[in-house]
Amino acid sequence: MATIRKRTSKWQVLIRRTGHPVISRSFFKKADAEEWARFTESQLDRGEMPASPRALDGHTVRGIIERYRDEVSFKKLSHNSEKYILDAFLRTPLADRPLSQLTSGDFSSFRDERLKKVKPGTVNRQLGIIKHAFDIAMQEWDIPLRENPLARLKKLKVSNARNRRLETEEWEAIKIAVLESRNPFLMPLVRLAIETAMRRGELIAMQWPHIDLEARTVFIPVTKNGHSRTIPLTGEAIKILREIQDMKEADSKRVFPAMTGNAADHAWDIMAPGN
């Protein structure tokens, strides 16, 4: 609340807000002082008045990203992938930039550098996560930024058309590499991935109680977008699942027991050329 007090022949208004310098003004009439105080406070509430740069000196981009990773992101289904993205961003010089020196241009440069290494869709996802972190910081953590530095960045154009199919020679090369793995479930995992086009996380989380071999379907309770879905199974997919059932290491609940996302990634990295 504003403080309004009589000083000699005038009414003085004092408004104090975290992240802003003290705002003061004097009026001959108390009614004018009260009206100006209400108007000024409403501007502060709407974020229409610039914060003091000095109030941002004690905050860095790192502080926002780390808090978002630890307090917000870990509650999401996509936490593991978001943590990977955020941890990678924290290793960049931009992470240690004081908020008082931060501009939209910093993230434009970051975007352009990332485009040299990854596809536009990946860059959009990374920037979207960071943008949300800044939204939370401004709305819930009282970080006195006037606007989100990523708010004006345009999303990159993404082409979602997919006409790529696995060539016979490529599949033969993959089979040779997979057979070198000591994990007996890696080959069925790869074969089922090709046959069903299911995501890695969906395959690893798949459970026998959710599979109906007679109806030829598998139910996925939780997907990447948070919704459930039922996937039809081809005859080849059914054949692969029956082979897994016959394996001595088979589990009564999980189709791919003891297989984690990291284990699958590690196995795939080992198979990659040059490893």
Side-chain angles (χ1 to χ4, degrees):
M1 291 290 293
T3 299
I4 301 176
R5 61 189 179 186
K6 185 74 175 288
R7 294 181 65 85
T8 63
S9 61
K10 293 183 178 182
W11 292 91
Q12 183 186 51
V13 182
L14 293 173
I15 300 177
R16 294 181 174 87
R17 285 289 180 90
T18 302
H20 294 269
V22 176
I23 306 171
S24 65
R25 189 169 175 180
S26 298
F27 299 86
F28 285 108
K29 295 181 179 180
K30 185 178 181 180
D32 291 340
E34 291 173 338
E35 182 179 353
W36 181 82
R38 287 194 297 270
F39 174 75
T40 304
E41 287 189 313
S42 66
Q43 282 188 306
L44 288 167
D45 291 338
R46 294 194 298 268
E48 295 175 357
M49 297 189 71
S52 169
R54 295 178 63 183
L56 295 172
D57 280 339
H59 299 278
T60 63
V61 177
R62 177 178 300 279
I64 290 177
I65 299 303
E66 287 181 343
R67 184 174 178 183
Y68 179 83
R69 178 196 62 193
D70 299 338
E71 297 183 13
V72 179
S73 180
F74 89 96
K75 300 177 183 177
K76 300 181 182 179
L77 291 173
S78 57
H79 168 59
N80 288 333
S81 61
E82 282 201 6
K83 183 179 184 300
Y84 178 84
I85 290 171
L86 295 173
D87 285 345
F89 176 78
L90 288 169
R91 292 192 291 271
T92 68
L94 185 54
D96 292 312
R97 183 71 55 84
L99 297 187
S100 58
Q101 300 175 22
L102 191 64
T103 68
S104 295
D106 292 322
F107 285 101
S108 295
S109 299
F110 172 77
R111 175 198 60 199
D112 295 343
E113 285 300 313
R114 292 297 295 148
L115 274 174
K116 296 176 183 178
K117 301 176 181 179
V118 296
K119 295 181 179 179
T122 301
V123 177
N124 283 341
R125 171 163 165 73
Q126 293 172 345
L127 292 177
I129 295 169
I130 297 171
K131 180 180 181 296
H132 188 235
F134 274 88
D135 283 338
I136 295 294
M138 294 170 64
Q139 296 165 11
E140 300 185 17
W141 301 338
D142 294 326
I143 302 297
L145 283 164
R146 187 174 183 182
E147 84 172 339
N148 190 320
L150 293 96
R152 299 184 184 183
L153 289 185
K154 292 183 179 180
K155 281 190 174 183
L156 298 168
K157 187 176 181 180
V158 178
S159 174
N160 290 320
R162 294 185 180 183
N163 297 317
R164 180 75 163 84
R165 289 185 177 275
L166 194 66
E167 300 292 340
T168 302
E169 300 80 14
E170 293 172 324
W171 172 225
E172 292 302 322
I174 290 174
K175 283 196 293 186
I176 292 172
V178 171
L179 289 172
E180 295 179 0
S181 172
R182 288 178 292 182
N183 189 327
F185 291 96
L186 187 58
M187 178 62 84
L189 178 72
V190 174
R191 289 172 60 199
L192 207 55
I194 294 172
E195 190 63 28
T196 64
M198 290 171 65
R199 298 185 179 100
R200 182 205 63 182
E202 294 174 342
L203 287 165
I204 291 174
M206 193 163 51
Q207 298 183 11
W208 290 113
H210 296 153
I211 297 174
D212 189 331
L213 294 177
E214 297 301 322
R216 297 193 170 200
T217 60
V218 55
F219 175 66
I220 307 298
V222 181
T223 62
K224 185 178 180 180
N225 60 19
H227 302 294
S228 61
R229 66 177 180 140
T230 299
I231 300 172
L233 298 172
T234 64
E236 181 63 22
I238 295 294
K239 177 183 175 183
I240 297 168
L241 289 169
R242 292 194 186 281
E243 290 174 4
I244 296 173
Q245 282 182 321
D246 293 337
M247 294 170 66
K248 64 179 181 179
E249 300 90 346
D251 188 274
S252 60
K253 187 174 183 181
R254 292 188 58 199
V255 176
F256 296 101
M259 176 77 81
T260 65
N262 288 336
D265 286 345
H266 181 64
W268 187 262
D269 289 340
I270 291 175
M271 291 190 304
N275 290 325

